[in-house]
Amino acid sequence: VKWCYSLAVFFIAYTGVRFGELAALTWECLNLDYNSVHIQFAVRRGRDGEYVVQRPKDTAEGTNFKNRHIILEPELVQKLREWKLRSPCSRNEDRVFPTFNGVFHKQSTAILNFWYDACDKAGNERVHFRSLWHYFATILFETYPKELDRIADQMGHTKLDTTRKIYKEYWDNKERDKEEAQNLGAVRARLANQ
């Protein structure tokens, strides 16, 4: 089962899911034929201290959750297919990234330690999972450069202001905007000359 830890890290980087969402993920949430994942649950510590599976980002009012579909990269889909064949937990209701006992992770410790060990072995500085979320956000900004609402949706942010605030530097990148404008101008000039 430890093999799935590297896949879990890869999954976080290419989907932007939070750890609780990763821990709650079951095979029935994945549609590998259509390269998508439906994020609808997360593992959270309940008021009684016990860990429970519930909607992502629930509040006391139960209104602040983000139920979303994320498109999966073909390479990730292939790795998931291979893992499902090897995993001892491959029924629809099973967790995609289970503990050795086949249940959901209550804390990120095991996967985080795996990630830190990988960083150490590669001679890289240890970076938190947040960096993986930001990596996914960068992919989204490159794919949908002017669609902040779509980026916010994919990141699971319930408010555009959250996305705008976290990624302000990227969103307000004057240098990148100038370069894009120059590229667009060059494309328009080529089209006009044809």
Side-chain angles (χ1 to χ4, degrees):
V1 176
K2 194 167 186 174
W3 180 79
C4 78
Y5 290 173
S6 62
L7 180 56
V9 170
F10 193 82
F11 192 88
I12 292 169
Y14 282 88
T15 62
V17 298
R18 295 160 187 83
F19 177 76
E21 295 166 336
L22 179 89
L25 191 67
T26 59
W27 287 106
E28 63 193 347
C29 296
L30 290 167
N31 188 330
L32 300 179
D33 293 329
Y34 289 96
N35 293 12
S36 69
V37 60
H38 185 195
I39 302 299
Q40 53 190 337
F41 299 107
V43 171
R44 300 265 186 248
R45 188 183 299 239
R47 290 191 175 107
D48 60 359
E50 293 294 316
Y51 287 89
V52 295
V53 175
Q54 62 185 31
R55 294 183 307 189
K57 298 178 91 177
D58 266 354
T59 63
E61 300 81 34
T63 57
N64 192 25
F65 70 94
K66 194 66 178 177
N67 186 345
R68 65 196 192 277
H69 290 270
I70 300 170
I71 301 301
L72 303 175
E73 296 284 330
E75 181 182 358
L76 178 55
V77 170
Q78 182 58 38
K79 289 177 182 291
L80 288 164
R81 286 182 193 279
E82 291 168 7
W83 170 237
K84 188 170 185 179
L85 291 173
R86 294 177 60 185
S87 175
C89 304
S90 58
R91 296 172 302 167
N92 280 342
E93 65 274 11
D94 288 337
R95 304 288 166 212
V96 177
F97 303 105
T99 64
F100 289 108
N101 299 330
V103 297
F104 62 76
H105 287 270
K106 294 178 181 176
Q107 298 176 336
S108 61
T109 308
I111 295 174
L112 190 59
N113 285 342
F114 170 85
W115 173 238
Y116 285 160
D117 287 346
C119 290
D120 293 346
K121 287 177 184 171
N124 294 329
E125 180 183 334
R126 289 183 174 186
V127 292
H128 195 271
F129 282 150
R130 267 186 307 283
S131 297
L132 300 174
W133 302 327
H134 297 323
Y135 177 77
F136 179 64
T138 301
I139 292 170
L140 292 175
F141 275 107
E142 294 295 324
T143 307
Y144 313 110
K146 299 298 181 191
E147 298 180 55
L148 188 61
D149 56 336
R150 190 170 189 171
I151 294 166
D153 180 63
Q154 292 289 289
M155 293 299 295
H157 299 156
T158 56
K159 298 177 182 175
L160 285 178
D161 285 345
T162 302
T163 309
R164 204 175 274 119
K165 182 176 151 187
I166 294 171
Y167 298 106
K168 182 178 182 359
E169 292 79 21
Y170 192 91
W171 190 251
D172 294 338
N173 187 330
K174 305 283 188 235
E175 182 83 17
R176 186 197 69 239
D177 291 347
K178 181 180 176 183
E179 184 178 319
E180 284 180 4
Q182 289 172 342
N183 290 340
L184 183 58
V187 169
R188 285 184 180 158
R190 269 187 274 145
L191 290 173
N193 290 331
Q194 289 183 354

